[in-house]
Amino acid sequence: MSRMTPKEMASRIGDGLLSFPVTPFRPDNAFNETRYRSNLDWLCGYEVAGLFAAGGTGEFFSLSPAEVAKVVATAVDETKGRVPVLAGIGHGTAMAAQLAVAVEATGADGVLLLPPYLVFSEQEGLAAHIEAVCNATKLGVIVYNRDNAILNEDTLEKLCQRCPNLVGYKDGIGDIELMTRIHLRMGDRLTYIGGLPTAETFALPYLEMGVTTYSSAVFNFVPEFSTKFYAAVRCRDRETVQAGLRDFILPLIAIRNRKRGYAVSIIKAGMKVIGRDSGHVRSPLTDLTSAETEELAVLVARLDTSEFAKRELAAA
């Protein structure tokens, strides 16, 4: 049974920072439940409005359906209602619907529907895919608008009319015009989430459009920075936001952009840097080199003496 209604879940996550915990693996690539529980317990000690288990940063794409259910069930059990737990689901329509049923049984509070596997399709086909998933579960559904699953405002409006449990829209493409059209059309019918890679770079302009929350991957290993950065965004403290971008986010992006797949790999490297080693990424992803990991370690170490930290200290 869900701990909250779809509308309650959407309202709750729209009022704070969101994150996607990494899925730890052992050297043999098996799920490391002990490390996962430890990471979740630690993250719950910070102000976070929702954790997305087995999401993109959690390497959903490399997990088997059974592993997805196991990871989500572990997250639900470990968090014990301290924070909403949403589950990543996806692949083709049949598998996505089956996963929705499976994670609902674990006690998850909602689902994030990732783009369907591989194929590009017309709006009618995307709508049928999303509606089938919504019909398979009573949980609140957030649709992830990116890659091969880009909805327009007409399709989204019709889906909202037919699917009362479609309660969230996560943007992963950065099309400002489309985002404006959708927000003006749907208003407060949906909760809007910033979901671009390293969403901190877009957080302030998106807030002006009504996007009150975003998913922070770096929250995994620098939660104190992430929560303070989010607070600065919500206060529209542009100087502090810009300091955080200069001191940490943009240098991190420079490392991330060196190779494909590093958006996930750099977060796993960050966990290693702070002493919460959560193993390697699964193939087809590749890990950061030792030199790149050291660059990241230097960035993390410098946070305490950065301009961002000084501004936060002065504000306190």
Side-chain angles (χ1 to χ4, degrees), residues 20 39 57 71 123 158 160 167 186 195 198 220 256 289:
F20 288 60
N39 289 346
T57 305
V71 169
Q123 292 291 295
K158 292 174 183 176
C160 286
V167 294
M186 302 309 304
T198 319
N220 274 281
R256 183 204 69 190
T289 66

Side-chain angles (χ1 to χ4, degrees), residues 134-290:
C134 288
N135 288 340
T137 179
K138 295 179 180 178
L139 296 178
V141 177
I142 299 167
V143 63
Y144 198 175
N145 204 63
R146 65 174 292 174
D147 297 324
N148 61 329
I150 300 175
L151 300 170
N152 62 37
E153 67 273 25
D154 296 326
T155 302
L156 193 58
E157 182 179 34
K158 292 174 183 176
L159 278 167
C160 286
Q161 292 169 351
R162 298 195 301 267
C163 306
N165 61 330
L166 178 58
V167 294
Y169 173 89
K170 183 178 180 182
D171 176 58
I173 57 172
D175 185 331
I176 301 297
E177 181 183 327
L178 175 60
M179 189 70 212
T180 300
R181 295 201 308 266
I182 286 173
H183 193 273
L184 288 175
R185 178 76 64 88
M186 302 309 304
D188 62 5
R189 169 63 179 81
L190 295 169
T191 290
Y192 304 92
I193 302 170
L196 287 151
T198 319
E200 283 83 358
T201 55
F202 303 88
L204 203 54
Y206 263 44
L207 180 64
E208 300 302 328
M209 300 173 62
V211 182
T212 57
T213 186
Y214 57 87
S215 55
S216 173
V218 298
F219 179 81
N220 274 281
F221 65 98
V222 284
E224 186 172 353
F225 166 84
S226 298
T227 51
K228 289 180 177 178
F229 186 95
Y230 177 75
V233 168
R234 293 300 298 266
C235 293
R236 293 175 168 81
D237 182 350
R238 295 181 182 277
E239 289 77 14
T240 300
V241 168
Q242 289 171 354
L245 293 174
R246 283 194 302 266
D247 294 343
F248 185 69
I249 295 298
L250 294 182
L252 179 142
I253 289 174
I255 300 172
R256 183 204 69 190
N257 288 347
R258 290 176 187 166
K259 292 182 182 178
R260 294 176 180 175
Y262 264 16
V264 175
S265 306
I266 200 167
I267 307 304
K268 276 278 179 81
M271 300 302 287
K272 184 175 183 179
V273 163
I274 65 164
R276 288 187 167 271
D277 193 342
S278 296
H280 298 288
V281 291
R282 279 183 176 175
S283 60
L285 298 183
T286 57
D287 291 298
L288 269 63
T289 66
S290 57

Side-chain angles (χ1 to χ4, degrees), residues 121-131 151-152 155 159 162:
S121 57
E122 298 297 329
Q123 292 291 295
E124 181 181 358
L126 286 173
H129 172 72
I130 295 165
E131 187 171 6
L151 300 170
N152 62 37
T155 302
L159 278 167
R162 298 195 301 267

